[in-house]
Amino acid sequence: MIQIRNLRKRLGRRDVLQGLDLEITRGQRVALIGSNGAGKTTLIRCLLGEYTRDGDVSLVGRDPRRFRTEVLRHVGFVPQLPPPLKMPVGQLIRYVSSLCGAHSDHIAEVAARLGFDATRFRHQPFVRLSGGQKQKLLIATALGRDTDVLILDEPAANLDPEARGTFFELLAERQKDAVMLISSHRLDEVAALVNRVIELDQGKVVLDDLVADSVDLASRLGCEIHLTRPEKAFAKAIGAWGFVDVDHGLAWRGTVAGADRLRFLGMLSRYAALIAALELRETDERTLHSRETANA
């Protein structure tokens, strides 16, 4: 699906990419990691046909520079920084749909699953949306249509925990049919999403390794936390994850997306001195919700 041979790109006096050789096949979910300046963004721009370069690049059997319009019909792309588009939301969805032969209603449905009401904001210029709203709409335009390649640059950076969980579910629905290239500065942000890790450093591949593919992207973890004492800062932090207070600030219950467990545990580590007990388990979210309703 993605083939790269001896890819080189020079920007100014700097060799940003230095002879990359990579092949990524259907069903692979690749974490593209590396520090700032490692070459991640330049590689993505070469894949999207934005840059001239030396070497060979092929997506779905075509050179993305020579056949850019045709190739981009097969690619869903979420940029790290939202573009400054003044186009209204409704017009943007129709425009993307017309370019890719997709149904605008399906894109709007995916946006709604992520928590963004495209109908309500159809006359709102994209540039005036909040950061989270922009991210949800960009993800919807990428995942709300049939694509063979998904290129996602820090895709969940501005999403709330509930939207992140839905985003992981959307990826799970596509994981067998598409190639996924997920760029991030931090491996722990995407580790549970991928089955292959490629690390760039100074324009070269310094790590290319297959990793355990054991996490169900659509899984949910039931969690119950008991504290030694109530704490307002903790209540605010855990409330942002959708947890509910079940014992006057001393016990909290909720669910976490399985693929978000490392991020969640990282948040909890800030309050380690307060935590008396923690239970985290695979669960059927519907069963958990029924139990919480009965206890309310």
Side-chain angles (χ1 to χ4, degrees), residues 3-173:
Q3 292 184 323
I4 298 169
R5 295 287 180 268
N6 196 30
L7 175 59
R8 298 178 179 274
K9 178 61 184 177
R10 187 176 181 87
L11 293 175
R13 297 181 178 180
R14 181 166 170 255
D15 292 319
V16 182
L17 298 177
Q18 303 185 49
L20 299 190
D21 291 299
L22 292 170
E23 183 170 350
I24 304 172
T25 59
R26 190 183 300 275
Q28 289 192 332
R29 305 187 305 278
V30 178
L32 180 65
I33 63 172
S35 60
N36 287 330
K40 301 188 305 297
T41 299
T42 301
L43 173 57
I44 287 173
R45 289 182 174 176
C46 289
L47 291 174
L48 296 174
E50 295 180 12
Y51 282 163
T52 58
R53 85 285 159 173
D54 295 322
D56 298 322
V57 177
S58 173
L59 271 71
V60 294
R62 294 280 189 172
D63 184 321
R65 184 67 180 177
R66 294 177 56 200
F67 303 96
R68 192 175 182 203
T69 300
E70 181 179 340
V71 168
L72 291 183
R73 289 196 184 101
H74 297 269
V75 177
F77 173 55
V78 178
Q80 180 180 7
L81 298 176
L85 298 175
K86 297 181 180 180
M87 190 181 298
V89 166
Q91 184 180 346
L92 175 59
I93 291 175
R94 291 192 299 273
Y95 176 70
V96 172
S97 300
S98 65
L99 286 179
C100 307
H103 294 289
S104 57
D105 287 348
H106 187 46
I107 293 176
E109 288 169 6
V110 172
R113 287 179 61 182
L114 289 162
F116 177 70
D117 188 342
T119 301
R120 176 186 172 192
F121 291 95
R122 64 186 181 279
H123 299 303
Q124 181 92 325
F126 177 82
V127 72
R128 293 180 58 187
L129 299 175
S130 70
Q133 290 171 331
K134 290 175 182 175
Q135 196 72 358
K136 290 173 183 177
L137 183 55
L138 290 172
I139 290 172
T141 60
L143 298 181
R145 55 193 181 87
D146 292 331
T147 52
D148 297 300
V149 178
L150 291 171
I151 299 177
L152 313 171
D153 195 354
E154 302 282 359
N158 290 314
L159 297 183
D160 56 85
E162 186 61 31
R164 285 172 65 93
T166 302
F167 170 61
F168 301 146
E169 292 171 2
L170 290 166
L171 291 184
E173 293 168 7

Side-chain angles (χ1 to χ4, degrees), residues 217-255:
L217 297 183
S219 68
R220 301 290 271 187
L221 304 175
C223 181
E224 190 163 319
I225 304 167
H226 293 264
L227 304 182
T228 57
R229 59 180 171 82
E231 173 59 53
K232 289 183 179 180
F234 180 85
K236 182 178 180 180
I238 202 70
W241 286 79
F243 276 56
V244 295
D245 180 357
V246 293
D247 186 15
H248 309 288
L250 287 171
W252 296 82
R253 186 180 296 149
T255 62

Side-chain angles (χ1 to χ4, degrees), residues 161-162 164-166 168-169 192 214-225 238 241-244 252-268 278-289 291-292:
E162 186 61 31
R164 285 172 65 93
T166 302
F168 301 146
E169 292 171 2
S214 57
V215 175
D216 178 359
L217 297 183
S219 68
R220 301 290 271 187
L221 304 175
C223 181
E224 190 163 319
I225 304 167
I238 202 70
W241 286 79
F243 276 56
V244 295
W252 296 82
R253 186 180 296 149
T255 62
V256 179
D260 231 4
R261 70 185 75 195
L262 286 178
R263 186 168 178 266
F264 177 69
L265 292 173
M267 182 278 293
L268 288 183
L278 168 65
E279 182 182 3
L280 197 62
R281 62 198 179 280
E282 294 281 351
T283 187
D284 184 328
E285 189 178 19
R286 290 170 297 181
T287 301
L288 182 67
H289 178 72
R291 189 181 73 183
E292 289 177 349

Side-chain angles (χ1 to χ4, degrees), residues 177-233:
D177 303 321
V179 164
M180 299 184 193
L181 186 65
I182 306 173
S183 176
S184 180
H185 293 93
R186 297 173 51 185
L187 179 57
D188 61 346
E189 285 285 326
V190 296
L193 302 178
V194 302
N195 51 25
R196 181 179 174 186
V197 176
I198 295 173
E199 182 177 1
L200 297 184
D201 184 37
Q202 298 183 8
K204 297 180 179 179
V205 174
V206 295
L207 173 70
D208 184 354
D209 202 5
L210 299 178
V211 296
D213 190 13
S214 57
V215 175
D216 178 359
L217 297 183
S219 68
R220 301 290 271 187
L221 304 175
C223 181
E224 190 163 319
I225 304 167
H226 293 264
L227 304 182
T228 57
R229 59 180 171 82
E231 173 59 53
K232 289 183 179 180

